[in-house]
Amino acid sequence: SAVISQKPSRDICQRGTSLTIQCQVDSQVTMMFWYRQQPGQSLTLIATANQGSEATYESGFVIDKFPISRPNLTFSTLTVSNMSPEDSSIYLCSVLGEKLFFGSGTQLSVL
Amino acid sequence: KNQVEQSPQSLIILEGKNCTLQCNYTVSPFSNLRWYKQDTGRGPVSLTIMTFSENTKSNGRYTATLDADTKQSSLHITASQLSDSASYICVVSAGGSYIPTFGRGTSLIVHP
């Protein structure tokens, strides 16, 4: 199994600012995933982060808004840039082993 | 288009009672189906994972069933406890894809 440490667990931010979310995995993993979960909705994949290459973004998500870093096989960051209230969501990192493991989530509120 | 539909959207039961949550999917080709429990403001935690050849799997008071012919799954919770209050998410993966399809979840509230 994989243990994922995600932080911060929650934050309240002002519009126009940026927040960087960090995920640390206790083992080396090839692919890490970043998801967004808006209130009452299912999880939506933002991007897949591979070490040593640029992240692959899903339709509707762009690098300028959600830049991702993947400096090594155990760590990744997601930045939510130039935030607006519509970015208020839970953000989750995830890795795929024998099952899909999730971080504890970052609950973001943008005022 | 791959889809996962869950019902009911929300459910309120009394502590000690049983309940069953439903999941219908159109994901193809089917690889596996997982049920997750997500506490409010937290990340999902895996309860069960089932492949094509499995039709029942238990994890304590949680029992998942899978009918691959009708593309339906259920999660049965026995003798509910207050700590079972959470969102339960059905997640289905297609063969050849590492990106699963998520249901919207069933919000379960267990009242004392």
Side-chain angles (χ1 to χ4, degrees):
Chain A
S1 65
V3 177
I4 306 174
S5 299
Q6 182 175 344
K7 58 182 181 182
S9 59
R10 61 176 62 234
D11 207 340
I12 300 173
C13 301
Q14 298 294 322
R15 71 168 66 214
T17 63
S18 298
L19 175 72
T20 296
I21 303 167
Q22 300 180 2
C23 269
Q24 178 76 51
V25 189
D26 68 344
S27 58
Q28 293 185 339
V29 292
T30 303
M31 289 191 292
M32 292 181 70
F33 308 93
W34 286 98
Y35 286 89
R36 181 175 73 182
Q37 186 179 28
Q38 294 178 306
Q41 302 297 313
S42 62
L43 277 72
T44 301
L45 182 64
I46 298 172
T48 302
N50 295 327
Q51 191 265 339
S53 63
E54 279 197 4
T56 302
Y57 288 83
E58 298 299 306
S59 175
F61 299 96
V62 295
I63 188 172
D64 290 344
K65 176 67 175 177
F66 298 101
I68 289 171
S69 78
R70 185 78 201 278
N72 56 53
L73 290 174
T74 63
F75 186 79
S76 179
T77 67
L78 170 76
T79 298
V80 186
S81 303
N82 188 24
M83 288 184 285
S84 66
E86 292 70 34
D87 294 321
S88 298
S89 289
I90 297 174
Y91 292 85
L92 295 153
C93 62
S94 173
V95 301
L96 182 63
E98 74 274 12
K99 52 188 173 183
L100 200 57
F101 296 94
F102 290 91
S104 53
T106 296
Q107 192 158 14
L108 172 61
S109 298
V110 184
L111 305 178
Chain B
K1 179 182 178 182
N2 291 336
Q3 288 187 314
V4 176
E5 300 290 339
Q6 292 187 244
S7 62
Q9 183 176 353
S10 60
L11 182 63
I12 301 174
I13 62 174
L14 293 176
E15 186 179 11
K17 298 296 185 182
N18 304 334
C19 66
T20 300
L21 315 180
Q22 300 291 342
C23 174
N24 296 339
Y25 61 92
T26 59
V27 176
S28 183
F30 176 82
S31 176
N32 61 71
L33 183 148
R34 311 181 186 102
W35 283 95
Y36 284 83
K37 178 185 178 186
Q38 184 178 22
D39 293 317
T40 301
R42 307 290 292 176
V45 175
S46 178
L47 294 175
T48 64
I49 178 170
M50 302 178 73
T51 59
F52 186 87
S53 60
E54 299 172 298
N55 54 29
T56 301
K57 183 164 282 189
S58 292
N59 178 1
R61 294 180 296 102
Y62 301 102
T63 299
T65 66
L66 173 65
D67 186 333
D69 291 331
T70 61
K71 299 186 178 182
Q72 296 179 327
S73 176
S74 65
L75 180 68
H76 186 75
I77 304 175
T78 304
S80 61
Q81 300 176 358
L82 299 180
S83 59
D84 292 331
S85 296
S87 179
Y88 291 84
I89 303 172
C90 177
V91 184
V92 184
S93 293
S97 173
Y98 54 78
I99 302 175
T101 303
F102 291 82
R104 289 191 174 190
T106 291
S107 176
L108 174 66
I109 298 174
V110 181
H111 275 308

